Amino acid sequence: NKDAQMRATINQKLIETGERERLKELLRAKLIECGWKDQLKAHCKDVIKEKGLEHVTVDDLVAEITPKGRALVPDSVKKELLQRIRTFLAQHASL
């Protein structure tokens, strides 16, 4: 419960300062740059071809591609985001 409370406080601070949006934009740019978006798009097309357009809902597609999407995020991108969050937390140590 204390972890959830801390997470909520950090998230609120990220939103208030605009850092959350900056991190989202950075993530978007990095994922496009490394080809992640194209890989996931191709995977979506494969899933739709395999199951048939009439038999795939958006929810099915999300459930199918989410694990692969997470696995395809390069470690370098994860590390950069984590470092940015740590820096943010260090600057806002009063949390």
Side-chain angles (χ1 to χ4, degrees):
N1 192 14
K2 201 169 189 174
D3 279 353
Q5 199 174 0
M6 181 60 84
R7 216 173 276 133
T9 302
I10 291 169
N11 197 39
Q12 186 61 39
K13 191 59 108 172
L14 285 167
I15 292 167
E16 285 172 7
T17 61
E19 186 64 15
R20 189 167 193 263
E21 275 307 307
R22 286 188 289 278
L23 289 171
K24 282 170 61 176
E25 281 307 311
L26 172 70
L27 179 59
R28 231 179 248 117
K30 292 287 181 184
L31 291 177
I32 290 168
E33 186 182 295
C34 73
W36 178 90
K37 186 178 174 186
D38 293 333
Q39 287 177 297
L40 220 53
K41 191 174 177 180
H43 184 56
C44 285
K45 287 180 180 179
D46 291 344
V47 169
I48 292 169
K49 268 185 205 163
E50 182 184 309
K51 296 184 183 236
L53 185 58
E54 321 76 47
H55 304 290
V56 179
T57 66
V58 171
D59 289 340
D60 291 340
L61 198 54
V62 169
E64 183 86 27
I65 67 167
T66 296
K68 182 162 185 129
R70 287 187 177 140
L72 287 174
V73 176
D75 284 345
S76 60
V77 173
K78 291 177 189 176
K79 285 177 185 168
E80 184 174 351
L81 273 176
L82 187 57
Q83 188 54 50
R84 291 279 295 261
I85 293 169
R86 283 183 176 141
T87 301
F88 174 85
L89 290 175
Q91 291 168 348
H92 297 84
S94 62
L95 291 174

